[in-house]
């Protein structure tokens, strides 16, 4: 990157800068005319100069020039106007000049803004491009949050400065020089006064602002460090909780904020001191104009029109002058920031851009064996992790690497996967150096996967298919309006130095996954998910997902029909009481009182949470049947029982797991509330206390809590109120509740709840597990299975895939690697979180899958966590202390002491 920001701007925006400078020069003409016109209006029509007689007239808009050779040439003879007409005409010209000057400013500012945003886009892209070309070791020394802060925030002022880099000094300097020249023309003494003040401001203010640059740089650095520290807190929050260091982190953040406060406070003090001095100098000049100009006017050496014009012209001088000084401050400020960014992104051994060029061509299979010659690797401390290792991996060979912790096998795998660069030695494919091949070749023909899995924020499907997104292979079809926007977008991208690849294109390389297109990709996806035992997990995610019936109409229709099939299966298994279904005219004993009362899921804010107790219609229906008193009495007894049973227990007691209607922290509050309400009638209780008591009854389930409070009469009343509530439901509330309907899909409920359409009985301890197993079996029928699995693939993984367990992340990482066909598969301890038996099963599945999906020349290099699996491979390599100490078939290594120790 170029060291000077101004040179960088000029290099990339030269034609645009020259054009806008030309426009600025043209704008100076009407700008100067707008200064002279007030004098003409005051001296002419208003004071009557040139209109001494009653019938006196003057020429308006006469255009005449004295040209060499030709003499005086009249281009327009002008129009004779009287005094009033001249006043109106000159005023209209003044208005026209105001409009023209305004249009010039509008065009110049808009053009500058577009130019600045375009260069800002270029800078940000170049920085991200450099990040993508950093050597692997660089990422161990930098913090992602600091890099993001620089790209997002610290380069932001550079975009704003771009449009002003050359235009501002030309425009503002031109305006200030025009105003100053005009003042000199009117009166030399007044011009000298203005010039002296301007000179003082131009010299003094920039010198005082140098301190602001130093403080600004310190503020930038401390803010960047704060962003990095906050990122560390987010990443390591579990460690902080585990070691009780949260208060240490609070102290650290407070200290950092204190330093930032001190810097910013000093910055504000100095900034406003400079502003005070600048404003004072700007205000002194009018005082001198009024004093000296007034004196000259009284002496007859300056007419009133000239004095008015000078004062009017000076009003336009401090603004451009101040902005010009601000521009110089901004120039120095952004130059400092630019230098810091360049320094941060100046990294040795950047990856050659040619190695990352986009290629839409199919990568040819790698020719020749993978050869490691005299390879030495070192960590950041300089310690050697691999020393002088030479080995070959022929095509079609399945090789296992074993060794203890930091034995060197995992480091060798990292080097083959290009996650580590060699200190010396060479890794080659045939005659080609591995690190000299483009990523469009090795990034497709060699697949590397380790246990250190990273997943991007998005769906499970997006992350699974990520390994196939190499280049835009199929352009999207746009409507005319969007196509025109796309053309404009491409033009802007090219002008900003960005690639014009369409992110909306289909980037998935279906052929690499053994498919011809999106239609037949799913079988390949299912096969890899089955191989790593991830299919059941995804089905579980699908069961817990809500599905939009409009988007998945066929699936949701089938789910509704499946309810009867599910009931039949329960009857066949003798488990008809395992799930109690929702029936419009019956109370569901396994559901809460509130759920039975609403018989649906509250969606709108009118019925969600505490709002339902304040809803006028709900209160009117419940009160009309006297149910409010019954629920109050029920809630009162629940509170009494809960306080009596749980008051003396510690908050972490397992009994509280059954207490769904209140938390341990609520116990003291209800103790006080019961004392307050003791002996009071329902009518004497406040609305707030009624709400706190009744809400307990809403969460009550008789088979679970067993307080014996739900009588047949109360259940009958609840069902009657439910029917009345839905029959008279006003239009304003019809969209606020998703009613339970046996013939309709419930959009607000999960897939599992829609199949059950009821609640699992609390009398069966293993009820939920048995229900899920039965539902998964029902959903496994042809046609339906793929749709449900597809729903699970839409599960959002969250930041870094943290919504998945560690085991699930490692399985998904391996599945992502297996989805594409490659010449070499490098598995570097991909499943350390799994138990030995599961590792063996997945290992066998993977070897079979790779053998079935690829030709016989495909090679596998697997660094094993479970060393007992070496008999599954053609060859075994043993590493110890960074050296290769054994190499041969499983049966041949029986006499190797290190081998016996590792597999025993």
């Amino acid at each position: 990157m170029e060291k000077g920001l101004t040179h960088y701007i000029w290099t990339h925006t030269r034609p645009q800068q020259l054009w806008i400078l030309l426009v600025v020069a043209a704008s100076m003409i009407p700008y100067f005319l707008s200064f002279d016109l007030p004098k003409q209006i005051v001296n002419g029509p208003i004071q009557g100069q040139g209109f001494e007689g009653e019938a006196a007239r003057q020429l308006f808009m006469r255009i005449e020039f004295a040209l060499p050779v030709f003499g005086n040439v009249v281009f327009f003879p002008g129009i004779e106007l009287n005094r009033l007409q001249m006043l109106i005409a000159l005023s209209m010209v003044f208005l026209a000049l105001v409009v023209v000057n305004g249009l010039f400013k509008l065009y110049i500012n808009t053009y500058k803004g577009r130019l600045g945003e375009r260069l800002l886009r270029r800078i940000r892209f170049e920085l991200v491009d450099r990040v993508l070309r950093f050597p692997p070791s660089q990422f161990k020394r930098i913090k992602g949050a600091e890099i993001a802060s620089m790209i997002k925030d610290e380069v932001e002022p550079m975009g704003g400065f771009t449009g002003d880099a050359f235009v501002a000094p030309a425009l503002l300097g031109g305006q200030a020089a025009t105003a100053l020249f005009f003042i000199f023309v009117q009166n030399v003494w007044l011009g000298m006064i203005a010039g002296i003040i301007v000179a003082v401001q131009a010299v003094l203010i920039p010198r005082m602002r140098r301190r602001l640059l130093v403080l600004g740089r310190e503020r930038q650095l401390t803010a960047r460090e704060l962003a990095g520290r906050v990122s560390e807190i987010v990443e390591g929050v579990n460690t902080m909780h585990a070691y009780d260091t949260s208060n240490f982190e609070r102290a650290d953040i407070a200290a950092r904020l204190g330093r930032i406060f001190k810097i910013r406070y000093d910055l504000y003090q100095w900034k406003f001191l400079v502003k005070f001095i600048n404003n004072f100098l700007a205000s002194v000049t009018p005082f001198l104009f009024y004093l000296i100009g007034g004196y000259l006017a009284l002496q007859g050496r300056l007419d009133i029109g000239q004095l008015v014009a000078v004062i009017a012209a000076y009003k336009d001088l401090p603004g451009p002058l101040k902005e010009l000084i601000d521009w110089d401050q901004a120039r120095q400020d952004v130059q400092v920031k630019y230098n810091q960014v360049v320094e941060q992104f100046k990294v040795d051994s950047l990856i050659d851009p040619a190695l990352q060029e986009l290629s839409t061509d199919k990568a040819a299979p790698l020719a020749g064996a993978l050869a490691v010659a005299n390879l030495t690797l070192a960590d950041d401390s300089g310690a050697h992790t691999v020393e002088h290792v030479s080995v070959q991996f022929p095509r079609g060979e399945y090789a296992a690497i074993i060794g203890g912790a930091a034995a060197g096998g995992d480091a060798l795998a990292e080097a083959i996967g290009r996650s580590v660069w060699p200190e010396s030695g060479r890794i080659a494919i045939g005659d080609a150096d591995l690190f000299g091949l483009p990523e469009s070749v090795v990034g497709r023909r060699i697949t590397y996967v380790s246990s250190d899995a990273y997943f991007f924020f998005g769906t499970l499907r997006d992350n699974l298919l990520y390994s196939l997104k190499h280049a835009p292979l199929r352009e999207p079809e746009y409507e005319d309006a969007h196509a025109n926007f796309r053309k404009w977008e491409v033009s802007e991208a090219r002008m900003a130095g960005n690639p014009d690849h369409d992110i909306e294109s289909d980037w998935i390389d279906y052929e690499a996954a053994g498919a011809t297109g999106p239609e037949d990709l799913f079988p390949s996806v299912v096969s890899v998910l089955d191989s790593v035992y991830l299919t059941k997990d995804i089905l579980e995610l699908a069961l817990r997902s809500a599905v939009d019936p409009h988007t998945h109409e066929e699936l949701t229709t089938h789910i509704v029909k499946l309810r009867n099939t599910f009931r039949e299966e329960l009857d066949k298994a003798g488990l008809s009481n395992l799930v109690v279904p929702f029936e419009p005219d019956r109370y569901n004993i396994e559901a809460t009182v509130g759920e039975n009362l609403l018989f649906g899921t509250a969606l709108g804010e009118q019925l969600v949470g505490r709002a339902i107790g304040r809803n006028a219609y709900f209160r009117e229906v419940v009160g009309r049947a006297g149910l409010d008193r019954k629920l109050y009495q029920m809630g009162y007894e629940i509170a009494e029982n809960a306080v009596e049973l749980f008051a003396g227990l510690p908050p972490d007691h397992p009994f509280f797991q059954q207490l769904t209607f209140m938390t341990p922290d609520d116990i003291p509050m209800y103790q006080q509330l019961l004392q307050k309400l003791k002996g009071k009638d329902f009518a004497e209780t406040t609305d707030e206390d009624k709400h706190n008591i009744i809400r307990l009854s809403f969460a009550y389930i008789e088979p679970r809590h067993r307080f014996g409070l739900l009588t047949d009469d109360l259940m009958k009343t609840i069902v009657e109120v439910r029917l009345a509530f839905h029959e008279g439901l006003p239009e304003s509330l019809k969209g606020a509740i998703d009613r339970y309907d046996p013939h309709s899909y419930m959009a607000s409920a999960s897939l599992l709840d829609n199949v059950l359409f009821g609640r699992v009985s609390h009398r069966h301890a293993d009820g939920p597990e048995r229900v899920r197993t039965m539902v998964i079996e029902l959903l496994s029928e042809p046609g339906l299975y793929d749709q449900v699995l597809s729903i699970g693939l839409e599960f959002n993984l969250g930041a870094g895939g943290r919504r998945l367990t560690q085991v699930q992340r490692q399985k998904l990482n391996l599945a992502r690697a297996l989805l594409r066909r490659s010449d070499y598969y490098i598995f570097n301890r991909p499943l350390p979180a799994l138990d030995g038996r599961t590792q063996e099963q997945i290992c066998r599945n993977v070897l079979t899958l790779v053998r079935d999906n690829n030709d016989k020349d495909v090679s596998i290099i697997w660094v094993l966590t479970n060393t007992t699996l070496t008999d599954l491979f053609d060859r075994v390599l043993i590493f110890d202390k960074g050296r290769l100490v054994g190499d041969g078939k499983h049966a041949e290594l029986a006499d190797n002491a290190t081998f016996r120790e590792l597999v025993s």
Side-chain angles (χ1 to χ4, degrees):
M1 298 181 68
E2 297 185 35
K3 294 182 179 180
L5 178 61
T6 305
H7 189 267
Y8 180 88
I9 293 172
W10 181 252
T11 301
H12 294 292
T13 63
R14 184 186 300 109
Q16 295 83 4
Q17 296 287 359
L18 291 173
W19 164 251
I20 199 65
L21 286 172
L22 181 63
V23 173
V24 168
S27 71
M28 291 296 104
I29 299 173
Y31 187 72
F32 180 83
L33 292 175
S34 65
F35 284 151
D36 190 59
L37 199 56
K39 183 187 74 172
Q40 296 182 32
I41 294 174
V42 172
N43 290 343
I46 294 178
Q47 289 191 335
Q49 186 177 337
F51 293 95
E52 284 74 11
E54 292 185 3
R57 305 171 75 84
Q58 285 190 1
L59 289 176
F60 172 72
M61 291 291 290
R62 178 180 175 84
I63 303 176
E64 179 181 1
F65 292 99
L67 300 177
V69 181
F70 298 100
N72 287 343
V73 179
V74 178
F75 290 93
F76 182 68
I79 304 172
E80 287 192 352
L81 300 177
N82 60 28
R83 187 171 178 177
L84 178 60
Q85 291 172 337
M86 183 64 75
L87 175 64
I88 295 173
L90 291 177
S91 298
M92 295 303 294
V93 171
F94 182 80
L95 179 61
L97 289 174
V98 170
V99 173
V100 170
N101 285 326
L103 290 175
F104 266 113
K105 286 183 179 180
L106 174 64
Y107 179 81
I108 291 170
N109 289 331
T110 303
Y111 196 90
K112 287 194 307 179
R114 184 178 182 183
L115 193 62
E117 289 302 315
R118 189 179 290 157
L119 193 84
L120 178 61
R121 178 177 177 177
R122 178 187 292 273
I123 293 174
R124 282 176 169 161
F125 178 81
E126 286 189 10
L127 294 180
V128 174
D129 178 71
R130 291 181 75 85
V131 171
L132 291 172
R133 294 193 291 118
F134 279 176
S137 59
Q138 183 67 17
F139 293 99
K140 300 177 182 179
R141 306 187 186 101
I142 61 177
K143 297 178 182 178
E146 292 187 8
I147 295 294
S149 175
M150 282 187 281
I151 295 175
K152 174 183 174 293
D153 299 322
E154 294 185 21
V155 302
E156 180 82 24
M158 300 176 197
F161 178 74
T162 297
D164 291 330
F166 302 98
V167 175
L171 177 62
L172 299 174
Q175 290 177 345
T178 301
L180 195 59
F181 173 73
F182 180 80
I183 294 173
F184 265 103
V185 169
Q186 305 307 312
N187 188 274
V188 175
W189 292 106
L190 296 182
M192 290 180 64
I193 292 172
I196 292 172
I197 297 297
V198 166
V200 172
Q201 286 179 283
V203 173
L204 179 63
I205 300 303
R207 287 179 177 273
M208 295 185 66
R209 283 185 166 176
R210 290 177 184 173
R211 174 61 180 164
L212 294 178
L213 294 177
V214 176
L215 293 172
R217 184 176 184 274
E218 292 179 5
R219 178 181 62 176
Q220 181 179 338
L221 291 174
T222 52
R224 184 194 303 168
E225 291 170 357
L226 177 66
R229 196 71 186 91
V230 172
S231 175
E232 288 183 329
I233 290 176
V234 174
E235 296 291 335
V237 67
N238 292 330
T239 303
M240 296 168 195
H241 292 325
Y243 293 111
D244 184 28
T245 58
S246 58
N247 288 307
F248 173 78
E249 298 300 332
R250 290 187 178 96
D252 179 57
I253 293 297
R256 291 174 184 271
L257 293 175
R259 286 195 294 272
I260 293 175
F261 171 79
K262 178 64 169 60
I263 293 170
R264 293 176 70 92
Y265 182 65
D266 291 345
L267 188 66
Y268 288 139
Q269 283 186 306
W270 196 256
K271 175 182 177 180
F272 289 114
L273 174 61
V274 173
K275 188 174 182 179
F276 164 75
I277 294 174
N278 194 30
N279 290 338
F280 174 76
L281 291 174
S283 301
V284 164
T285 309
F287 159 74
L288 296 175
F289 279 174
Y290 284 121
L291 179 62
I292 299 175
Y295 174 77
L296 294 175
L298 292 177
Q299 294 293 320
R301 296 162 61 184
L302 183 70
D303 61 50
I304 300 299
Q306 286 179 311
L307 181 58
V308 171
V310 166
I311 294 174
Y314 183 77
K315 286 182 179 178
D316 289 327
L317 180 60
L321 187 62
K322 178 181 179 299
E323 291 181 31
L324 197 59
I325 295 173
D326 290 341
W327 170 85
D328 184 65
Q329 167 73 17
R331 178 187 64 81
Q332 297 179 58
D333 186 42
V334 295
Q335 181 62 57
V336 169
K337 292 180 178 178
Y338 180 78
N339 290 342
Q340 288 182 322
V341 171
V342 169
E343 181 182 348
Q344 189 71 26
F345 283 81
K346 185 179 180 181
V347 178
D348 295 331
S349 304
L350 281 176
I351 297 174
D352 188 344
L355 298 181
Q356 295 185 339
E357 286 185 358
L358 184 139
S359 174
T360 56
D361 299 330
K362 179 182 177 182
L366 298 175
L370 192 156
V372 178
N374 199 28
L375 182 70
T376 297
L377 303 174
D379 59 20
D380 282 352
S381 67
H384 287 174
T385 55
V386 169
E387 287 192 82
H388 307 296
V389 169
S390 297
V391 64
Q392 278 199 353
F393 298 97
R395 295 293 303 275
E397 181 182 69
Y398 290 8
I401 296 178
I402 60 175
D410 49 356
L412 174 63
E414 288 177 350
I416 298 174
R418 300 191 307 167
S419 296
V420 174
W421 288 4
E423 185 177 81
S424 64
R426 186 170 184 259
I427 303 177
I429 301 285
D431 296 329
D433 188 292
L434 178 67
F435 293 89
L437 292 172
E439 287 189 3
S440 59
V441 175
V442 291
R444 304 180 193 184
R445 305 310 302 179
I446 297 179
T447 294
Y448 172 79
V449 58
S450 68
S451 61
D452 186 17
Y454 185 84
F455 298 102
F456 299 95
F457 188 91
T459 66
L460 196 152
R461 185 195 306 275
D462 292 337
N463 280 278
L464 182 62
L465 301 180
Y466 188 77
S467 61
L468 303 175
K469 297 178 180 181
H470 311 303
L473 301 177
R474 296 164 187 81
E475 294 292 331
E477 295 182 1
Y478 292 122
E479 297 179 357
D480 291 342
H482 199 102
N484 293 331
F485 173 77
R486 175 59 190 158
K487 291 179 181 177
W488 174 85
E489 195 176 44
V490 168
S491 174
E492 280 296 318
R494 290 173 178 172
M495 294 184 73
N498 289 190
D500 57 4
H501 314 314
D502 191 353
I503 192 63
E504 300 299 331
S505 298
D506 191 349
W507 288 66
I508 298 175
D509 186 358
Y510 296 100
E511 187 176 351
T516 59
E519 299 79 14
D520 59 348
L521 176 64
F522 202 74
S524 298
V525 171
V526 174
S527 66
V528 299
L529 295 178
D530 288 341
S531 297
V532 299
Y533 296 145
L534 192 58
T535 310
K536 184 179 178 182
D537 295 298
I538 296 177
L539 288 175
E540 292 276 2
L541 296 176
L543 292 180
R544 297 196 296 268
S545 301
V547 178
D548 184 359
H550 301 290
T551 308
H552 302 86
E553 184 176 354
E554 181 182 353
L555 173 63
T556 53
T557 302
H558 203 140
I559 293 297
V560 173
K561 295 178 181 178
L562 209 61
R563 290 171 181 170
N564 291 330
T565 307
F566 177 67
R567 298 301 311 173
E568 293 171 1
E569 291 296 322
L570 287 175
D571 293 339
K572 288 180 184 178
L575 298 171
S576 56
N577 62 344
L578 182 60
V579 177
V580 179
F582 289 122
E583 299 180 63
D585 55 351
R586 295 186 62 181
Y587 188 95
N588 190 315
I589 196 68
E590 298 293 345
T592 65
V593 170
E595 197 172 12
N596 272 282
L597 190 55
L598 278 183
F599 202 66
T601 304
L603 302 176
E605 59 183 15
Q606 307 98 313
L607 299 177
V608 172
R610 300 174 67 92
I612 189 172
R614 300 185 179 91
N615 185 270
Y617 173 72
F618 179 79
R619 295 179 63 173
E620 189 270 330
V621 173
V622 172
R624 189 170 57 210
L627 184 60
D628 51 354
R629 289 178 173 270
K630 296 180 180 179
L631 293 179
Y632 176 82
Q633 184 59 36
M634 181 181 184
Y636 192 89
E637 294 185 33
I638 291 173
E640 285 186 322
N641 289 327
V643 168
E644 181 181 352
L645 293 173
F646 299 102
L649 298 179
D652 57 348
H653 197 281
F655 283 1
F656 280 110
Q657 296 176 6
Q658 301 297 321
L659 195 64
T660 59
F661 37 74
M662 69 171 67
T663 66
D665 295 335
D666 292 333
I667 297 293
M669 186 271 285
Y670 276 101
Q671 284 179 314
Q672 296 177 4
L673 187 59
L674 289 174
Q675 294 177 358
K676 175 183 176 182
L677 299 178
K678 189 174 183 179
K680 285 189 177 181
D681 186 67
F682 177 77
E684 300 173 343
T685 308
T686 64
D687 289 344
E688 183 65 22
D689 291 342
K690 288 178 184 176
H691 175 83
N692 288 330
I693 292 294
I694 292 177
R695 79 173 184 85
L696 298 179
S697 64
F698 267 55
Y700 184 76
I701 303 173
E702 183 62 52
R704 179 172 185 174
H705 301 119
R706 303 179 187 179
F707 288 165
L709 303 176
L710 201 61
T711 64
D712 292 339
D713 179 60
L714 181 57
M715 288 190 289
K716 180 181 177 182
T717 304
I718 290 174
V719 172
E720 291 173 351
V721 170
R722 170 208 300 172
L723 296 174
F725 175 79
H726 285 286
E727 286 175 2
L729 195 68
E731 288 293 329
S732 60
L733 292 180
K734 287 188 176 179
I737 185 170
D738 187 9
R739 186 178 181 182
Y740 296 156
D741 184 347
H743 306 294
S744 300
Y745 187 88
M746 300 179 296
S748 60
S750 67
L751 207 62
L752 177 62
D753 287 340
N754 269 282
V755 175
L756 299 185
F757 196 69
R759 289 291 175 260
V760 179
S761 173
H762 289 84
R763 295 180 176 88
H764 299 264
D766 60 345
E769 183 61 32
R770 298 175 71 175
V771 164
R772 280 197 299 273
T773 301
M774 294 182 68
V775 171
I776 289 176
E777 290 177 358
L778 288 176
L779 296 176
S780 299
E781 63 179 76
L784 185 60
Y785 176 82
D786 291 352
Q787 295 183 61
V788 175
L789 192 63
S790 183
I791 295 297
L793 290 173
E794 295 304 316
F795 179 77
N796 192 295
L797 303 187
R802 292 180 182 175
R803 297 185 68 192
L804 298 180
T805 66
Q806 184 180 8
V807 169
Q808 289 172 335
R809 288 198 297 271
Q810 292 182 1
K811 287 181 178 180
L812 179 59
N813 194 36
L814 182 57
R816 177 166 62 183
L818 293 171
L819 184 58
R820 66 181 193 173
R821 276 55 170 167
S822 297
D823 296 327
Y824 282 90
Y825 289 92
I826 317 298
F827 301 125
N828 189 3
R829 306 184 193 271
L831 304 170
L834 279 66
D835 61 85
R837 183 179 178 184
T838 306
Q839 284 189 38
E840 179 181 355
Q841 292 171 334
I842 292 180
C843 183
R844 292 180 183 275
N845 292 343
V846 168
L847 295 177
T848 301
L849 180 70
V850 171
R851 188 177 293 113
D852 293 342
N853 287 349
N854 299 273
D855 57 46
K856 61 181 180 180
D857 289 334
V858 172
S859 301
I860 293 178
I861 302 173
W862 197 313
V863 182
L864 293 173
T865 305
N866 186 352
T867 56
T868 62
L869 304 179
T870 54
D871 60 331
L872 302 177
F873 295 84
D874 303 326
R875 178 184 176 193
V876 181
L877 288 82
I878 307 171
F879 277 81
D880 185 36
K881 298 179 181 178
R883 296 183 179 275
L884 181 62
V885 297
D887 183 0
K889 295 183 180 298
H890 175 82
E892 298 172 353
L893 296 172
D895 295 333
N896 187 295
T898 305
F899 178 73
R900 291 198 305 270
E901 181 182 348
L902 290 171
V903 299
S904 60

